[in-house]
Amino acid sequence: MEKKLAICPGSFDPITNGHLDIIRRGAKIFDEVIVVVFNNSAKKPLFTAEERAELIRESVKNIPNVKVDISDGLLVEYAKKSNADAILRGLRAVSDFEYEMQITSMNKRLEPNIETFFMMTNTQYSYLSSSIVKEVARYNGNIDDLVPEVVAQALKEKFKR
Ligand code: ADP
């Protein structure tokens, strides 16, 4: 049977344990998962795309069927080019729903053959976001349970005063 490939797109600025939970669980369902760092033009990132990809690589290095990549193009183009079967996204609270619905409808319009799969986050990560992690880290708060260790370190470096 043909291998099933999922693309897990996002800004990952930086990757959190919530993202990681979705990636881990996705890697059990799909044969291969490619986590792709995209530059969301609406956001001003703290980490460069290279830095974000490197932090993801470190965080997923013990999951053999997960790869990491960077793209500055359109998600559906990336998915088509890589012959992906699905786009994998995480859903936290109801607040994610409208945004995800909008993106998914647009992607479907651009590329009708690609399906988007949503996974509900584990409740412990429902209120976890990259933005809130950055905000807490900026003021020296403890984020150790919320992000992989390499990310906690990288945030400390960024906000070192
Ligand atoms: P984007 O800029 O595309 O929203 P993000 O890096 O913020 O990128 O999120 C990428 C994906 O990970 C999205 O599907 C988002 O809903 C999901 N996600 C973000 N935080 C969590 C979390 N704590 N638990 C589960 N999924 C999450």
Side-chain angles (χ1 to χ4, degrees):
M1 217 175 73
E2 216 182 305
K3 293 208 161 157
K4 295 290 179 203
L5 167 68
I7 304 294
C8 191
S11 318
F12 305 104
D13 186 40
I15 186 168
T16 68
N17 288 343
H19 293 127
L20 212 48
D21 174 57
I22 298 293
I23 295 166
R24 266 207 195 95
R25 287 158 58 204
K28 291 186 186 160
I29 307 291
F30 292 93
D31 298 301
E32 192 180 352
V33 173
I34 308 181
V35 182
V36 187
V37 175
F38 280 87
N39 273 318
N40 181 333
S41 55
K43 298 182 184 175
K44 199 179 168 298
L46 175 67
F47 293 96
T48 65
E50 291 294 341
E51 288 173 325
R52 286 178 269 157
E54 198 45 44
L55 291 172
I56 302 171
R57 265 185 216 112
E58 280 294 314
S59 313
V60 302
K61 64 181 177 200
N62 53 1
I63 325 174
N65 57 335
V66 175
K67 294 205 177 87
V68 183
D69 198 5
I70 299 173
S71 171
D72 51 14
L74 209 49
L75 167 60
V76 289
E77 286 304 324
Y78 186 98
K80 203 162 89 176
K81 186 187 77 195
S82 52
N83 261 321
D85 298 283
I87 294 169
L88 177 64
R89 297 279 292 178
L91 278 181
R92 286 165 292 189
V94 188
S95 48
D96 276 343
F97 190 84
E98 192 147 332
Y99 174 65
E100 293 294 338
M101 181 105 154
Q102 206 178 6
I103 297 181
T104 306
S105 324
M106 180 52 79
N107 286 343
K108 199 83 192 159
R109 186 175 159 273
L110 294 170
E111 193 51 65
N113 292 324
I114 185 105
E115 296 296 344
T116 303
F117 276 68
F118 291 98
M119 281 171 64
M120 294 281 293
T121 182
N122 275 318
T123 46
Q124 72 200 100
Y125 303 128
S126 292
Y127 296 98
L128 180 55
S129 66
S130 301
S131 331
I132 207 150
V133 162
K134 282 182 279 189
E135 194 64 12
V136 174
R138 184 185 298 274
Y139 298 103
N140 246 321
N142 186 333
I143 46 157
D144 291 350
D145 296 338
L146 308 178
V147 293
E149 172 140 18
V150 276
V151 174
Q153 276 306 329
L155 282 165
K156 277 197 193 106
E157 271 307 303
K158 278 276 178 204
F159 293 127
K160 204 160 61 182
R161 271 173 288 192

